[in-house]
Amino acid sequence: MGKRSLAFNKELAAKILFALSASAAIIAVGLICVFLFVQGLPAIWNIGVINFLTGTVWQPTWNPPLYGILPMIVGSLYVMAGAILFGVPIGIFAAVFMAKFCPRPIYKVLKLAINLLAGIPSVVYGYFGMVILVPFVRENFGGNGNSILTASILLGMMILPTIISISESAIRAISSEIYEGAVALGASHERATFRVVLPAAKSGVMASIILGIGRAVGETMAVRMVAGNQAILRMPHEFLSGARTLTANVVLELGDAYGDHRAALIATGVVLFVFIMLINALFSMLKKKDGV
Amino acid sequence: MAKTNKFSLKNVDLWYNNFQALKNINMNIPSNEITAFIGPSGCGKSTLIKSMNRMNDLVEGCKITGSIMLDDESIHGHIDVNALRKRVGMVFQKPNPFPMSIFDNIAYGPRTHGIKSKFKLNDIVEKSLRDAAIWDELKDRLKKSALSLSGGQQQRLCIARALSVQPDVLLMDEPTSALDPISTAKIEELVINLKKDYTIVIVTHNMQQAVRISDNTGFFLLGEMIEYGDTQQIFSAPSDKRTEDYITGRFG
Ligand SMILES: Nc1ncnc2c1ncn2[C@@H]1O[C@H](COP(=O)(O)OP(=O)(O)OP(=O)(O)O)[C@@H](O)[C@H]1O
Ligand SMILES: [Mg+2]
């Protein structure tokens, strides 16, 4: 074999290796999709789409069993909305502060703290929530502390690093010429920042929020540890009561579920999957609008 | 009629950290005239124009000494820097419209200075766009994004935006260097028309432009003002050899 063909073979091998690695991700997504839909869709079909999605009672052990996941859909939405309520304003203000107001030494400390926050495993967040937040909410707001409110605060904290770091780079990416244009009209630093620079960065800020929401919806462990997990349809004013999210529903019961019950849990996963897909679609729509 | 001076600069020195970018600048800038700054790249024209509305304050490590008087009042004294910048507007080399609607671009300045009435804002937007000779082109698309305009339109929009807060002075740093000849001609005509209401200081690399529009010209070299006077005089009979070399193109 000549030197040339050896080199050629090496190149080919490398190409195949790269292609395989790249397709691994696609194959993984594909497999998850197929698995979820093959196992989940028949269950949804059997229960009935309407019964499944709008049923308000989840009682797999009753005879006949009831598989309504509306309480979990609503639970997920509440916790998500709560996380947005806490995480988004704080995250955006923190990002503005870091990009436009922060003295350098403080910046370094903040950046470090935020990177750390991003790296903390969710079970540790959950533990923090159980030990600190649950008693805090119990003593200051009432209820037993395992509640929608607690989960919202905790998730709000968990999405902060995502929102802060992506928003901060979006704000930094706005050219200083625009800022100077505002200042040259007699605008103060604050006004130029909040009325010109921040709006100019809005698609990046929106992207950070959506990614944060994606994280909030998919989060399982920490939420499960502080949310109370009752599969009961809650009204908005019951934010001090517990609720169960879609993710918690799966993880709580999958261990000892068989037959229809198991299929209904996988179907819960399907709904969650569709949720996340919608959020991602929203994200890429925004990105496209921005022309990135 | 005796000339009144809008700006008068005395012994102005400016440093960027240890680098001295302006050396002992002394000059008076007459009201309602067009004053051009010319000189090779890096000689300090932008630095000088930016010290007149204190945009240099934004530059870390920038230090200025000497006195700059605006209508006999020091711009480094009691005057609030935002109030100064309202009086001394600026148009930048590269058009820098805000990424918002044409209307909001113009309304931003007046809103900043407390005007809320929709009616008044409408008025100001129309007047500013008319003064910048771009009303007819834009009046039907005020809600459109300013970024959808051509470069020349964007620059005239930026001029309108500068006019929206009713300044006394307009500082223009190479406002046409990024534009085509037709847009340039429009802006030159516009600048000449604005002279009756505003004092204009313009930086330019284009000698013909300085001759066409300015009343006074200052020639700068390595941070020093070499020669300053009547534009016709400077271009027909410069008193300094270096000025002559520069305007005849015999210069690096
Ligand atoms: N922010 C800054 N920090 C340090 N040095 C600077 C800064 N801005 C300008 N300078 C220096 O000051 C000198 C004058 O710069 P300035 O921008 O005023 O020149 P200019 O005459 O406007 O040039 P040009 O015609 O290229 O625009 C240059 O040597 C430049 O390198
Ligand atoms: Mg310059």
Side-chain angles (χ1 to χ4, degrees):
Chain A
M1 208 195 281
K3 222 177 176 179
R4 238 186 115 137
S5 69
L6 194 70
F8 176 76
N9 278 346
K10 257 190 189 162
E11 211 173 278
L12 188 71
K15 263 190 190 159
I16 292 176
L17 185 69
F18 292 144
L20 278 179
S21 321
S23 25
I26 301 169
I27 292 170
V29 173
L31 280 178
I32 292 175
C33 253
V34 169
F35 158 80
L36 266 179
F37 286 95
V38 164
Q39 304 221 341
L41 282 183
I44 297 182
W45 189 253
N46 286 340
I47 301 162
V49 180
I50 305 287
N51 278 343
F52 183 62
L53 291 179
T54 66
T56 57
V57 182
W58 175 269
Q59 285 294 357
T61 53
W62 282 5
N63 195 8
L66 289 174
Y67 298 112
I69 63 161
L70 188 64
M72 275 67 90
I73 294 178
V74 171
S76 278
L77 288 176
Y78 283 162
V79 172
M80 177 182 107
I84 293 172
L85 212 65
F86 290 110
V88 169
I90 295 177
I92 292 176
F93 279 117
V96 170
F97 177 75
M98 287 180 69
K100 287 285 172 189
F101 290 87
C102 189
R104 194 152 307 163
I106 300 182
Y107 179 82
K108 282 195 179 141
V109 177
L110 266 178
K111 192 76 193 163
L112 187 73
I114 285 158
N115 286 341
L116 277 177
L117 216 54
I120 296 174
S122 66
V123 65
V124 176
Y125 274 101
Y127 179 70
F128 166 81
M130 281 172 67
V131 176
I132 309 280
L133 283 181
V134 169
F136 174 82
V137 169
R138 188 194 310 127
E139 276 150 34
N140 292 286
F141 299 93
N144 72 4
N146 289 295
S147 64
I148 296 172
L149 179 66
T150 319
S152 297
I153 298 174
L154 189 61
L155 269 182
M157 284 176 55
M158 293 177 74
I159 65 176
L160 277 181
T162 310
I163 296 184
I164 294 174
S165 49
I166 296 175
S167 291
E168 190 208 332
S169 35
I171 293 166
R172 282 188 190 277
I174 300 304
S175 81
S176 60
E177 289 154 13
I178 286 177
Y179 168 80
E180 284 170 16
V183 170
L185 286 167
S188 63
H189 178 61
E190 291 73 23
R191 194 173 162 92
T193 301
F194 280 98
R195 296 302 189 85
V196 173
V197 177
L198 186 58
K202 76 168 176 271
S203 58
V205 171
M206 281 305 292
S208 81
I209 294 172
I210 289 171
L211 284 180
I213 293 173
R215 164 133 208 225
V217 172
E219 177 50 43
T220 311
M221 187 54 74
V223 174
R224 177 217 144 135
M225 287 164 79
V226 300
N229 302 323
Q230 297 92 329
I232 298 170
L233 186 63
R234 298 292 187 190
M235 294 294 123
H237 65 268
E238 294 178 285
F239 60 89
L240 290 175
S241 327
R244 185 185 289 192
T245 60
L246 291 165
T247 50
N249 196 38
V250 177
V251 77
L252 284 166
E253 298 188 4
L254 198 62
D256 43 26
Y258 303 95
D260 285 353
H261 184 190
R262 189 183 162 83
L265 290 176
I266 292 168
T268 310
V270 171
V271 174
L272 187 65
F273 190 76
V274 171
F275 239 81
I276 303 276
M277 297 288 271
L278 285 178
I279 290 168
N280 278 328
L282 203 65
F283 177 62
S284 37
M285 248 164 58
L286 276 177
K287 249 177 130 176
K288 211 176 276 158
K289 215 179 101 193
D290 202 26
V292 183
Chain B
M1 197 173 85
K3 276 190 187 180
T4 57
N5 289 323
K6 200 69 195 173
F7 271 107
S8 101
L9 287 73
K10 285 208 181 67
N11 307 326
V12 173
D13 290 302
L14 185 146
W15 287 265
Y16 291 119
N17 297 309
N18 294 324
F19 172 74
Q20 185 164 9
L22 294 178
K23 294 171 189 158
N24 196 31
I25 306 292
N26 288 282
M27 69 193 312
N28 292 325
I29 292 176
S31 299
N32 294 89
E33 291 191 6
I34 299 175
T35 301
F37 293 172
I38 61 170
S41 191
C43 67
K45 306 176 298 290
S46 297
T47 300
L48 181 60
I49 207 175
K50 284 200 301 184
S51 43
M52 296 165 71
N53 65 345
R54 289 179 55 186
M55 286 302 277
N56 280 328
D57 288 13
L58 303 180
V59 179
E60 217 172 305
C62 177
K63 201 174 103 233
I64 189 164
T65 62
S67 93
I68 301 179
M69 309 288 267
L70 169 64
D71 291 332
D72 300 323
E73 185 191 2
S74 168
I75 66 166
H76 296 102
H78 290 301
I79 188 170
D80 171 57
V81 64
N82 296 326
L84 168 70
R85 291 182 186 142
K86 179 179 180 295
R87 271 169 72 191
V88 183
M90 183 163 228
V91 176
F92 297 77
Q93 176 170 2
K94 217 173 120 216
N96 59 348
F98 305 141
M100 45 177 93
S101 74
I102 292 167
F103 184 95
D104 287 337
N105 260 274
I106 310 290
Y108 179 82
R111 280 178 179 141
T112 296
H113 298 290
I115 295 176
K116 294 206 181 69
S117 136
K118 179 83 185 155
F119 181 75
K120 265 198 198 146
L121 287 173
N122 281 334
D123 249 23
I124 291 173
V125 169
E126 176 169 348
K127 179 164 188 321
S128 308
L129 290 172
R130 276 191 194 285
D131 289 349
I134 195 174
W135 170 252
D136 290 326
E137 280 164 73
L138 299 188
K139 63 171 187 280
D140 299 320
R141 46 200 284 208
L142 297 177
K143 292 259 142 55
K144 290 258 167 61
S145 165
L147 301 183
S148 67
L149 302 177
S150 74
Q153 288 173 325
Q154 289 189 1
Q155 193 62 303
R156 278 180 290 151
L157 180 78
C158 290
I159 294 174
R161 188 176 71 189
L163 299 180
S164 69
V165 294
Q166 299 180 301
D168 303 340
V169 184
L170 210 50
L171 307 174
M172 308 178 102
D173 192 353
E174 302 185 45
T176 61
S177 67
L179 304 181
D180 65 283
I182 294 173
S183 305
T184 299
K186 280 188 185 160
I187 288 185
E188 287 182 8
E189 190 190 330
L190 165 62
V191 169
I192 292 169
N193 283 331
L194 289 173
K195 180 164 92 167
K196 62 180 189 307
D197 298 315
Y198 304 92
T199 301
I200 292 166
V201 182
I202 184 167
V203 173
T204 180
H205 273 288
N206 180 334
M207 302 303 144
Q208 283 78 38
Q209 183 168 70
V211 174
R212 277 193 302 264
I213 67 175
S214 73
D215 303 293
N216 319 290
T217 297
F219 171 63
F220 295 82
L221 194 60
L222 296 171
E224 286 180 76
M225 190 179 75
I226 304 299
E227 193 166 350
Y228 177 52
D230 181 79
T231 297
Q232 298 310 326
Q233 172 78 33
I234 295 257
F235 280 91
S236 56
S239 58
D240 195 293
K241 179 82 171 58
R242 291 166 293 182
T243 316
E244 186 180 341
D245 285 349
Y246 183 71
I247 59 181
T248 51
R250 256 178 285 152
F251 205 89

